């Protein structure tokens, strides 16, 4: 047995309270190396002679590890436990809090072998909003969704042409009135969460270069109009999420302009990370100009980075965060460049917004493993790129085999608690990525197969505006074309609508049920979801039809027990 591969960490994603009387425990071993894992457990103050035993379930197979799981009962709200591990080679060890021991009988009778959960404090549990588990998001890039009010169009606005290839500085006149006019359309499509890219006053079309967080950009409308959008969305059962950048300001903001003008004597000098005065002209290391005079997002001179350790900056940003919750009743924040802001600030942010709304949803933009932000006191979830980009690597780019995909996704699921996985935001494309139909080389069946696979996963799925219209778009800024309204109710629209409807019909299982991924003997990817019902989904990513006999609740290219390439079939029991 590979002893070095045996691992468990208490009070983490490997050991977490699910309610005051139950603790979920995970254990990890080398792939195909362990035959059985038995947990010995009891209350912290009971004698070990009264310890119970239970065999763990193998809940997934990763790249190099087998993952084991079990939910243990803690009737007195305390728990201690240890692992008896039986190897495929017949050897046995106890993996305990202090050591790995080969003397099993002795180790299981020593208190020092037991991991401890001192008390199941409900206040320390990682809780995620119930409503998120029943939500399908729709991402709106306001400048390109719909032009409902031509009177607020920016100067030089271009004609609304979905076939255009937008330039970085182009404006098409999309606004909040356009969203308001199409809320019934979104209701018909079936989505029940609206994720808005920034709506605040800014110079660009994307609005990530904020000038004033407390004003709606005049080209989009005003605060009264936004309030109406939120109220009308809520009346239709839709949640509303705003997008903000608290990592940096735009260089046209009042604070930064004061620094440009007054240098070190500016009252806002300590609001930024300034290395040298005067701050202009900017030095770009990418152009060989030397070290920057101030820190920015990436090396973008128009986005000076905020010093979020400064109490004045904290107060400024927290006022913004709470303002839109208190006065406009938004339900969620998506936080841009969230990983570059300090944890101390995000803890304050979390408390400020959840003090107003206990079930508020906080999503961070983090493109890598995000455990440090997901312990219940910072973000609810993140934009789950390490998960969804691997879906693209298999379905579209063929970089991963089916087996590599399922093992990697299983490993990803093990990084987080169950409640956190259920609150991740899953998307295959967005305002930051090429559209899935383009990545799929124009193959609509393939794009919809991958989208269906995303919708079977744990987490809250999100589609990017226009996916339901079969829109295409390469890299930035081509994926921000004006919405193609001519395709409403067309064949692609109908298939996306059916997928959304299917997910929400079974949202209790999809939102909260267990998940297991593996590859069948004939090469299909199988997704098993267990909750209120049993859902099995099969995806054919091979280059030939595969025979499979299962109940057809929902499918694509499945007929006479033959699942075609790019097809899927889902059965519900």
């Amino acid at each position: 047995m590979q002893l070095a591969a045996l691992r468990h960490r208490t009070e983490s994603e490997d050991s977490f309270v699910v309610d005051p009387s139950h603790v979920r425990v995970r254990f990890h071993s080398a792939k195909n190396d362990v035959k059985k894992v038995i947990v010995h457990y009891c209350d912290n103050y009971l004698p070990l002679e009264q310890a119970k035993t239970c065999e763990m379930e193998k809940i997934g197979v990763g790249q190099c590890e087998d993952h084991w799981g079990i939910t243990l009962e803690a009737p007195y709200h305390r728990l201690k436990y240890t692992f008896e591990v039986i190897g495929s080679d017949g050897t046995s060890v106890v993996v305990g809090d202090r050591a790995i021991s080969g003397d099993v009988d002795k180790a299981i009778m020593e208190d020092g072998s037991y991991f401890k959960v001192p008390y199941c404090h409900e206040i320390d549990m990682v809780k995620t909003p119930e409503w998120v588990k029943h939500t399908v998001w729709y991402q709106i890039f306001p400048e390109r969704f719909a032009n409902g009010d031509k009177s607020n169009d920016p100067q030089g606005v271009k004609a609304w042409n979905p076939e255009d290839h937008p330039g970085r500085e182009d404006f098409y006149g999309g606004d909040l009135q356009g969203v308001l006019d199409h809320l019934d359309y979104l209701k018909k499509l079936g989505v029940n969460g609206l994720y808005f890219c920034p709506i605040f006053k800014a110079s660009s079309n994307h609005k990530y270069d904020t000038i004033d967080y407390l004003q709606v950009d005049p080209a989009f409308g005003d605060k009264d109009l936004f309030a109406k959008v939120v109220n009308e969305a809520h009346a239709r059962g839709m949640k509303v999420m705003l997008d903000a950048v608290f990592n940096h300001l735009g260089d046209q903001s009042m604070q930064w302009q004061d620094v440009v003008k007054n240098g070190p004597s500016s009252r806002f000098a300590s609001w930024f990370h300034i290395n040298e005065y005067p701050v202009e002209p900017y030095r770009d290391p990418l152009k060989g100009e030397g070290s920057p005079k101030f820190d920015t997002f990436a090396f973008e001179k128009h986005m000076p980075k905020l010093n979020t350790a400064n109490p004045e900056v904290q107060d400024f940003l927290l006022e913004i965060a709470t303002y839109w919750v208190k006065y406009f009743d938004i339900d969620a924040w998506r936080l841009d460049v969230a990983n570059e802001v300090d944890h101390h600030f995000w803890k304050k942010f979390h408390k400020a917004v959840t003090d107003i709304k206990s079930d508020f949803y906080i999503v961070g933009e983090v493109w890598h493993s995000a455990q440090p932000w997901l312990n219940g006191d910072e973000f609810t979830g993140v934009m789950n790129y390490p998960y969804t980009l691997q879906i693209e690597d298999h379905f579209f780019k063929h970089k991963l085999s089916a087996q590599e995909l399922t093992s990697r996704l299983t490993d990803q699921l093990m990084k987080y608690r169950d409640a956190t996985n259920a609150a991740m935001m899953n998307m295959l494309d967005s305002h930051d990525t090429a559209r899935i139909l383009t990545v799929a080389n124009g193959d609509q069946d393939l794009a919809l197969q991958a989208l269906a696979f995303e919708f079977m996963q744990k987490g809250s799925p999100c589609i990017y505006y226009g996916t339901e219209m079969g829109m295409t778009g390469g890299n930035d800024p081509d994926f921000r074309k004006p919405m193609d309204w001519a395709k409403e109710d067309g064949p692609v629209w109908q298939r996306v609508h059916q997928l959304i409807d299917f997910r929400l019909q079974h949202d209790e299982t999809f939102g909260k049920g267990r998940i297991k991924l593996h590859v069948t003997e004939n090469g299909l990817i199988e997704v098993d979801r267990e909750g209120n019902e049993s859902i099995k989904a099969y995806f054919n990513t091979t280059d030939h039809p595969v025979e499979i006999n299962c109940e057809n609740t929902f499918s694509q290219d499945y007929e006479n027990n033959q699942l075609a390439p790019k097809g899927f079939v889902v059965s519900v029991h």
Side-chain angles (χ1 to χ4, degrees):
M1 192 177 355
Q2 296 183 45
L3 299 185
L6 304 176
R7 65 179 182 90
H8 170 80
R9 190 164 61 96
T10 193
E11 295 211 33
S12 71
E13 63 278 359
D14 285 346
S15 175
F16 50 92
V17 176
V18 292
D19 65 47
S21 299
H22 292 89
V23 177
R24 182 68 174 168
V25 173
R26 297 176 184 157
F27 185 81
H28 313 277
S29 62
K31 202 170 184 175
N32 301 321
D33 188 50
V34 166
K35 180 181 178 181
K36 188 186 296 186
V37 182
I38 299 169
V39 184
H40 299 252
Y41 67 102
C42 66
D43 182 83
N44 290 341
Y45 295 98
L46 286 177
L48 291 175
E49 287 80 5
Q50 295 185 30
K52 297 179 180 180
T53 61
C54 198
E55 188 174 330
M56 299 187 81
E57 174 193 359
K58 187 185 288 188
I59 56 174
V61 176
Q63 279 188 284
C64 303
E65 291 182 309
D66 288 335
H67 305 292
W68 308 79
I70 193 169
T71 300
L72 301 176
E73 193 172 3
Y76 308 117
H77 318 302
R78 302 176 298 252
L79 194 68
K80 59 184 175 185
Y81 58 90
T82 194
F83 303 98
E84 180 184 350
V85 184
I86 302 166
S88 300
D89 59 3
T91 60
S92 297
V93 297
V94 168
V95 178
D97 185 44
R98 298 179 184 174
I100 297 174
S101 174
D103 191 338
V104 173
D105 292 337
K106 181 181 178 183
I108 60 175
M109 295 307 297
E110 292 179 342
D111 190 73
S113 296
Y114 284 70
F115 297 93
K116 306 293 195 302
V117 179
Y119 195 84
C120 298
H121 287 285
E122 189 167 358
I123 196 170
D124 288 337
M125 285 171 51
V126 173
K127 298 179 182 178
T128 52
E130 177 68 20
W131 63 264
V132 174
K133 305 170 182 72
H134 306 276
T135 301
V136 173
W137 293 98
Y138 187 93
Q139 183 183 3
I140 295 173
F141 192 81
E143 220 282 319
R144 305 291 158 81
F145 182 67
N147 188 344
D149 181 1
K150 294 187 180 299
S151 70
N152 62 16
D153 286 359
Q155 189 173 2
V157 69
K158 297 184 70 174
W160 196 272
N161 179 6
E163 301 302 319
D164 253 6
H165 296 281
R168 291 185 182 277
E169 312 301 326
D170 290 344
F171 288 86
Y172 289 86
D175 49 36
L176 291 175
Q177 186 63 49
V179 177
L180 186 64
D181 293 344
H182 288 89
L183 286 179
D184 286 336
Y185 161 82
L186 293 166
K187 179 73 174 176
K188 180 177 74 169
L189 180 62
V191 297
N192 56 357
L194 305 182
Y195 157 32
F196 288 86
C197 287
I199 62 168
F200 311 119
K201 186 176 181 181
S203 302
S204 66
N205 52 41
H206 55 70
K207 309 302 176 192
Y208 283 98
D209 53 338
T210 314
I211 293 174
D212 189 342
Y213 290 98
L214 297 176
Q215 296 296 325
V216 171
D217 193 274
F220 289 167
D222 57 26
K223 287 191 273 194
D224 288 341
L225 178 57
F226 178 66
K228 191 171 183 181
V229 170
V230 175
N231 292 336
E232 291 295 326
H234 284 167
R236 290 164 175 79
M238 299 176 183
K239 300 292 187 178
V240 175
M241 176 159 59
L242 286 184
D243 192 338
V245 196
F246 292 162
N247 177 68
H248 51 265
L249 282 179
D251 65 348
Q252 296 305 307
S253 62
M254 174 270 292
Q255 294 89 340
W256 182 250
Q257 284 301 309
D258 194 80
V259 172
V260 171
K261 180 180 178 181
N262 298 308
S265 62
S266 168
R267 70 185 184 95
F268 297 110
S270 63
W271 279 44
F272 303 92
H273 296 268
I274 298 171
N275 307 315
E276 186 181 331
Y277 292 99
V279 294
E280 291 186 346
Y282 179 76
R283 290 196 297 252
D284 188 344
L286 297 176
K287 298 177 181 177
E289 295 171 353
S291 298
K293 294 183 175 183
F294 55 93
D295 293 350
T296 59
F297 166 64
F299 295 114
E300 176 49 69
K301 66 179 180 180
H302 299 297
M303 298 179 180
K305 180 176 175 61
L306 284 164
N307 176 15
T308 47
N310 182 330
E312 290 182 5
V313 175
Q314 293 173 4
D315 291 344
F316 168 70
L317 295 177
L318 293 177
E319 179 187 0
I320 294 158
T322 55
Y323 175 80
W324 295 95
V325 185
K326 284 191 291 189
Y327 300 112
F328 296 87
D329 198 26
I330 67 166
D331 306 288
W333 276 114
R334 182 265 184 187
L335 303 165
D336 196 58
V337 203
N339 58 335
E340 296 187 25
V341 177
D342 62 88
H343 292 283
H344 182 268
F345 173 76
W346 286 135
K347 287 177 169 63
K348 287 192 168 190
F349 179 96
H350 179 275
K351 186 176 189 311
V353 295
T354 56
D355 278 352
I356 303 168
K357 268 191 178 183
S358 60
D359 64 347
F360 198 82
Y361 183 41
I362 306 169
V363 183
E365 183 198 19
V366 181
W367 289 69
H368 49 80
S369 297
Q371 291 104 323
W373 293 270
L374 296 172
N375 292 307
D377 56 355
E378 295 186 49
F379 306 154
T380 321
V382 294
M383 300 180 78
N384 206 7
Y385 290 120
Y387 200 89
T388 55
L389 288 176
Q390 297 197 81
I391 296 174
E392 294 190 13
D393 281 346
H394 172 68
F395 281 82
F396 300 151
K397 300 176 183 178
H398 311 296
K399 292 180 179 178
L400 301 177
S401 69
Q403 187 62 61
E404 287 171 329
L405 174 69
T406 59
S407 62
R408 290 185 181 200
L409 295 185
T410 299
D411 285 339
Q412 285 292 321
L413 289 166
M414 292 302 111
K415 291 180 183 291
Y416 309 109
R417 297 166 178 87
D418 293 337
T420 301
N421 281 322
M424 291 294 206
M425 191 173 188
N426 295 334
M427 46 180 34
L428 292 181
D429 55 0
S430 72
H431 68 289
D432 280 330
T433 64
R435 288 186 174 273
I436 56 170
L437 186 55
T438 295
V439 182
N441 292 315
D443 189 327
Q444 191 66 70
D445 282 347
L446 179 58
L448 291 176
Q449 184 196 40
L451 190 65
F453 185 80
E454 175 207 333
F455 270 58
M456 301 298 114
Q457 306 306 307
K458 286 205 102 168
S460 193
C462 179
I463 64 171
Y464 188 39
Y465 83 94
T467 294
E468 75 276 24
M469 307 298 197
M471 288 180 64
T472 60
N475 289 328
D476 191 6
D478 198 49
F479 45 64
R480 299 172 181 173
K481 295 177 181 178
M483 177 72 153
D484 190 352
W485 288 105
K487 304 288 178 58
E488 182 179 349
D489 295 327
V492 176
W493 190 97
Q494 293 292 345
R495 291 161 75 181
V496 173
H497 165 65
Q498 290 164 10
L499 178 59
I500 295 167
D501 187 57
F502 179 78
R503 167 83 187 205
L504 292 177
Q505 280 182 20
H506 304 281
D507 60 349
E508 192 70 22
T509 298
F510 282 128
K512 296 189 285 186
R514 288 170 291 154
I515 183 170
K516 202 166 187 178
L517 303 161
H518 69 278
V519 180
T520 66
E521 289 184 1
N522 52 8
L524 301 179
I525 299 176
E526 180 178 341
V527 183
D528 292 341
R529 303 302 311 271
E530 295 289 337
N532 277 11
E533 56 209 339
S534 176
I535 301 175
K536 291 185 181 295
Y538 300 91
F539 294 80
N540 186 358
T541 58
T542 73
D543 58 1
H544 56 272
V546 174
E547 183 174 352
I548 179 172
N549 185 7
C550 71
E551 182 179 325
N552 181 3
T553 307
F554 181 60
S555 66
Q556 172 177 292
D557 297 333
Y558 177 67
E559 193 172 354
N560 299 324
N561 295 336
Q562 292 287 316
L563 186 59
K566 306 167 195 170
F568 63 84
V569 58
V570 187
S571 63
V572 180
H573 299 282

